[in-house]
Amino acid sequence: MRFTRPRHWLRWLIGAIAVLVVLAAAGPFVYIHFFNGSTPTALSLPSASSSASASSSPGSAPAANTAASGPVAGTWDAGSGSVVGYRVNEVLLGQNATAVGRTTSVTGHLTVVGTAVTAATFSVPMATIHSDKSQRDARFDGQIMNVAQYPTGTFTLTSPIDLAPLPASGVIKDYTAHGNLTLHGTTRAVTFTLTAERGTGKGGGAQIKVAGQIPVVFADYNIQNPSLSGFVTTQDHGLLEFLLVFGRAR
C-alpha cells in the first residue's frame, strides 16, 4: 500500500494537468463562439441581382413612386440609418475572430449635377465608435486612434462619379470612387468600389443609399497596430465600412 499511493497521486496530478491544458486550449474557442455573440455582418445593400430580378419580373408593375424615379440632381444630406465603422480580423489566444466597431453619428452630403456626383463628404466623431467590448473601445480611443487629439475621421470625394445611364429606382449599381480619407490626422488618397440604390424613404420622400468598404493599412495613417502582446494579434490592416442613407436637403 505504501508504494501504490504515490502512483495514485501521480495519476491524479497528470489528469489534472491534462484537464487544465484542454481548458486553456478550448477556453478561447468557447468564449468566442458561445459567449462572445455573433459578429455583425458587413454593411451592404441587398444583392444587386435580387433587386434587378425583382424589378424586371414579367408582368410586375413598377414599385417606385415619382419621387424615387425622378431626377437625382440636387443636394442630399446623410441622415437616419447611416452607419460607419471598422472591421479588423484578429486572433484571440489562438482563435480567429473579427473586431467590429460602429457609429450612427454620421454627417455628410453629396451633390448631383445632371447625372454626375460632383461633390461628396462625410465625417464621423471617432469617440462615438463602439464595439461589443469596453476594453477594446478604451484602447481604440486612446493608444490606437487617440481621439482626443484626432477627434474626427472624414472622407471627401475628389473626382466626379458618372451615374449615367441613371438606373431605375430599386436597382443597385456599382461605381468607382476616388477621394481623400483622413484618419488619425493623416490624409491619404483612396480608390474603392461602392454600391448605390435610389428609392423611397419611410416618409415617402426620395432616398439614396450608398454602401462600401475602404481598405485601411494602419501604417499608412500612423495608426498603432491594435495587437496586444500575448493576448490578441491583429492583421496590419482593416476595413472602414459604411452605409449612408441620403435624403434631399431641406
Side-chain angles (χ1 to χ4, degrees):
M1 296 296 293
R2 288 180 301 172
F3 296 98
T4 58
R5 186 175 297 277
R7 293 175 183 173
H8 170 76
W9 282 103
L10 180 60
R11 287 195 299 270
W12 182 89
L13 180 60
I14 292 173
I17 292 174
V19 170
L20 290 175
V21 170
V22 171
L23 289 176
F29 177 87
V30 173
Y31 173 74
I32 291 172
H33 296 282
F34 293 96
F35 295 101
N36 199 34
S38 58
T39 301
T41 57
L43 297 173
S44 64
L45 300 181
S47 169
S49 59
S50 64
S51 294
S53 61
S55 64
S56 58
S57 299
S60 62
N65 64 16
T66 304
S69 59
V72 295
T75 301
W76 301 73
D77 291 337
S80 177
S82 297
V83 185
V84 173
Y86 66 81
R87 180 175 294 267
V88 179
N89 291 329
E90 61 184 14
V91 178
L92 174 60
L93 295 176
Q95 295 294 322
N96 293 327
T98 302
V100 176
R102 290 178 177 171
T103 179
T104 57
S105 297
V106 185
T107 58
H109 69 271
L110 62 82
T111 301
V112 181
V113 176
T115 57
V117 179
T118 59
T121 183
F122 68 80
S123 62
V124 168
M126 300 301 288
T128 65
I129 299 176
H130 299 297
S131 70
D132 60 343
K133 294 288 178 291
S134 59
Q135 299 93 327
R136 179 190 292 135
D137 295 342
R139 293 193 69 244
F140 178 89
D141 291 346
Q143 294 173 273
I144 299 172
M145 297 305 296
N146 191 2
V147 299
Q149 184 172 353
Y150 309 110
T152 307
T154 63
F155 170 80
T156 302
L157 188 72
T158 55
S159 298
I161 300 176
D162 185 9
L163 305 178
L166 196 65
S169 174
V171 175
I172 298 173
K173 189 173 179 180
D174 293 345
Y175 300 94
T176 299
H178 304 274
N180 288 330
L181 177 65
T182 300
L183 295 172
H184 200 248
T186 301
T187 301
R188 298 288 186 188
V190 294
T191 299
F192 57 95
T193 299
L194 58 81
T195 57
E197 175 191 21
R198 60 174 178 153
T200 306
K202 292 182 179 180
Q207 186 179 78
I208 297 177
K209 293 183 178 180
V210 181
Q213 297 179 330
I214 304 176
V216 174
V217 177
F218 301 139
D220 289 348
Y221 296 86
N222 298 312
I223 297 172
Q224 176 181 318
N225 189 293
S227 296
L228 188 59
S229 179
F231 185 65
V232 178
T233 301
T234 69
Q235 296 178 330
D236 63 355
H237 62 279
L239 292 173
L240 184 159
E241 56 179 2
F242 60 89
L243 171 60
L244 304 177
V245 181
F246 293 94
R248 284 198 178 276
R250 298 178 179 179

